[in-house]
Amino acid sequence: MSERYTPQQNHLLAALPAEVQQRLFPHLESVPLPLGKVLYESGGTMRHVYFPTNSIVSLIYVMESGASAEISVVGNEGLVGVALFMGGESTPSRAVVQSGGHAYRLPAQHLKDEFNRHGELLVLMLRYTQALITQMAQTAVCNRHHSIDQQLCRWLLLSLDRLPGNQLIMTQELIANMLGVRREGVTEAAGKLQKLGVIEYNRGHITVLDRCGLERLSCECYAVVRKETDRLLPYAPVNEDN
């Protein structure tokens, strides 16, 4: 049986007042987001914004040499495409699906029209953008000053916050590309976490066995991002029928 989705599974959409939902929801399109799908290329024109429900999208900066590093992750807490309502129309980063799943997409003009009403959506989008900037800034600091072990813990926790369960499907090579480090470093760090009983890793499947332990092993960067997101975005409760 196919899984059922609703726009309210995205916390931003769920937090909008009923009258705003009535204007936007008819224009939402349900779309699958398979692992590795590129939503935006660097410098490309954005025609839609994406509201993930059970998928995760990575915003990645790619250097001329081909080296890359993740600057933020977006899941059911937010949207992909803030440049559209900030007036940029494009971004130097690439948006690629890190964890496959589902999303709703909305044509750019409908988002702009609602944003320009200077109502609830504008306030919510700006607060979300501040939370996203915090995540980007903290990621930069973390990548510069903290160990690969700590970076991996932060990355796993941020991903878990955006998924319904405690499992991720992710190869060590892909994690290394996201963190901008060597694969050997990720292999060693993941091995340490597995020996401590915090995670179980097998052929691209990561199961978090001890989330509290993962938080203790992480640097302060995860807590900073989580606290700021919770402060800025008092999301409405989401009812999920299982």
Side-chain angles (χ1 to χ4, degrees), residues 55-67:
S55 58
I56 300 178
V57 178
S58 291
L59 305 184
I60 301 171
Y61 198 94
V62 182
M63 307 295 288
E64 290 182 359
S65 65

Side-chain angles (χ1 to χ4, degrees), residues 15-45:
L16 292 172
E19 63 270 20
V20 179
Q21 293 181 351
Q22 290 170 7
R23 287 193 292 266
L24 290 184
F25 283 16
H27 304 290
L28 291 173
E29 178 187 1
S30 176
V31 294
L33 294 187
L35 176 66
K37 179 178 176 64
V38 177
L39 304 183
Y40 307 127
E41 281 289 2
S42 174
T45 301

Side-chain angles (χ1 to χ4, degrees), residues 178-220:
M178 298 295 179
L179 297 178
V181 299
R182 292 173 59 85
R183 179 179 174 179
E184 293 79 2
V186 173
T187 300
E188 183 179 349
K192 291 179 184 177
L193 294 179
Q194 187 157 252
K195 287 180 180 178
L196 290 171
V198 176
I199 68 169
E200 183 177 85
Y201 182 82
N202 184 33
R203 296 184 179 181
H205 287 72
I206 301 173
T207 303
V208 176
L209 304 174
D210 182 3
R211 183 188 172 111
C212 291
L214 197 61
E215 291 185 9
R216 287 194 298 270
L217 292 168
S218 179
C219 51
E220 72 268 24

Side-chain angles (χ1 to χ4, degrees), residues 11-156:
H11 300 323
L12 277 182
L13 293 176
L16 292 172
E19 63 270 20
V20 179
Q21 293 181 351
Q22 290 170 7
R23 287 193 292 266
L24 290 184
F25 283 16
H27 304 290
L28 291 173
E29 178 187 1
S30 176
V31 294
L33 294 187
L35 176 66
K37 179 178 176 64
V38 177
L39 304 183
Y40 307 127
E41 281 289 2
S42 174
T45 301
M46 297 179 172
R47 294 183 172 83
H48 298 87
V49 290
Y50 292 81
F51 296 89
T53 58
N54 65 341
S55 58
I56 300 178
V57 178
S58 291
L59 305 184
I60 301 171
Y61 198 94
V62 182
M63 307 295 288
E64 290 182 359
S65 65
S68 63
E70 182 181 76
I71 55 177
S72 65
V73 293
V74 179
N76 59 8
E77 91 294 353
L79 66 89
V80 183
V82 297
L84 276 171
F85 58 79
M86 299 296 286
E89 305 293 337
S90 67
T91 175
S93 60
R94 171 189 293 168
V96 59
V97 178
Q98 165 194 309
S99 180
H102 171 270
Y104 285 91
R105 72 178 186 181
L106 180 70
Q109 194 57 52
H110 290 296
L111 182 77
K112 291 178 184 178
D113 290 345
E114 187 63 40
F115 189 85
N116 290 332
R117 287 176 179 266
H118 300 284
E120 293 291 336
L121 182 131
L122 179 146
V123 173
L124 192 61
M125 294 297 108
L126 292 181
R127 291 172 75 91
Y128 171 70
T129 302
Q130 183 175 340
L132 189 65
I133 291 172
T134 298
Q135 185 189 155
M136 291 177 174
Q138 205 67 38
T139 296
V141 172
C142 188
N143 290 348
R144 176 65 178 85
H145 293 287
H146 293 141
S147 68
I148 295 177
D149 296 17
Q150 292 173 313
Q151 291 178 48
L152 178 59
C153 291
R154 169 186 57 81
W155 185 87
L156 288 172

